[in-house]
Amino acid sequence: MVKDNEKFKMVTSSPLIVAVAISRKNQIVINYSKLNKHPINIKTILKHELCHLLLHHYIKVNLPKWLDEGVAQWISGGWGEIIMDRKKIVLNKTIQKGDYIALNNLTKKFPKREKYLLLAYEESKSIVEYIGREFNKDGILNILKYLKEGDDVNTAIIKSLSISFKELEKRWLNQFKKEHIWLNFLGNHLYEILFFF
């Protein structure tokens, strides 16, 4: 677990991190100087960080980092504490190459290197959105409920979605690839398609 002073150091030293929630102290730390340089909505940041505080207040243990970040992004409708440059979004290319970060590796912490940190945030958001689409918001809320009751993430997912964690990750990746194959095709052949019509 990341100590409070390490979280504070992250928000002041990392070029990507704008804010952090320090759950033990019920605090949100925002580096306001970064807000002046990047057009980030303070309302989104606060919703995102408050979501972290609430999640950690109700779920004391067993909350995977990917689920924590994914739910906070899902609730707030944005990245929250991280400065996102749309040119740096890498999830689509990475998954198409089969080179992504397995969710098991995002349980306790996220990578420190910028490329992999962005990928971890994108994956977290994408899998939670997938659960929301495929199993409705009740699927997500039930997972959180079982985690609160002390179940590990695999048990919470089985109880909530009737599939294993491994199967959930497999289905998410397959669905992601299917959706983006068409987008890639259209993007790569837009000129030919328009010319045909």
Side-chain angles (χ1 to χ4, degrees), residues 15-16 38 40 79 82-90 114 118 122:
L16 296 177
H38 301 278
I40 300 172
W79 295 93
I82 195 162
I83 297 170
M84 285 302 295
D85 178 353
R86 299 313 285 175
K87 290 180 263 174
K88 293 182 180 177
I89 293 182
V90 293
E114 182 178 310
L118 293 172
E122 288 183 75

Side-chain angles (χ1 to χ4, degrees), residues 21 43-56 63-81 110 121 124-125 128-129 140 144:
K43 185 177 176 182
T44 301
I45 291 171
L46 288 173
K47 276 171 86 175
H48 184 99
E49 298 307 329
L50 284 169
C51 184
H52 283 308
L53 291 179
L54 286 170
L55 285 169
H56 287 269
L63 180 62
K65 180 77 171 161
W66 65 265
L67 186 59
D68 183 18
E69 285 301 337
V71 168
Q73 292 176 69
W74 178 63
I75 294 293
S76 67
W79 295 93
E81 75 260 7
F110 278 5
Y121 272 88
S124 300
K125 182 179 184 197
V128 170
E129 287 175 343
I140 296 168
L144 296 173

Side-chain angles (χ1 to χ4, degrees), residues 10-23:
M10 265 190 331
V11 79
T12 55
S13 64
S14 170
L16 296 177
I17 307 295
V18 175
V20 293
I22 302 174
S23 55

Side-chain angles (χ1 to χ4, degrees), residues 2 13 20 24 45 54 59 69 73 77 86 94 99 104 114-115 118 135-136 139 141 145 159 164 174 185 189 197:
V2 179
S13 64
V20 293
R24 276 186 251 147
I45 291 171
L54 286 170
I59 304 172
E69 285 301 337
Q73 292 176 69
R86 299 313 285 175
T94 304
D99 183 28
N104 274 335
E114 182 178 310
K115 174 185 173 186
L118 293 172
F135 301 95
N136 301 315
L141 296 176
K145 178 185 91 166
K159 286 180 174 180
S164 69
N174 288 337
F185 177 80
H189 297 89
F197 286 110

Side-chain angles (χ1 to χ4, degrees), residues 1 12 25-26 36 48 61 104 122 125 139 166 181 197:
M1 180 163 233
T12 55
K25 295 182 179 182
N26 275 336
N36 292 331
H48 184 99
V61 293
N104 274 335
E122 288 183 75
K125 182 179 184 197
K166 192 173 187 174
I181 284 173
F197 286 110

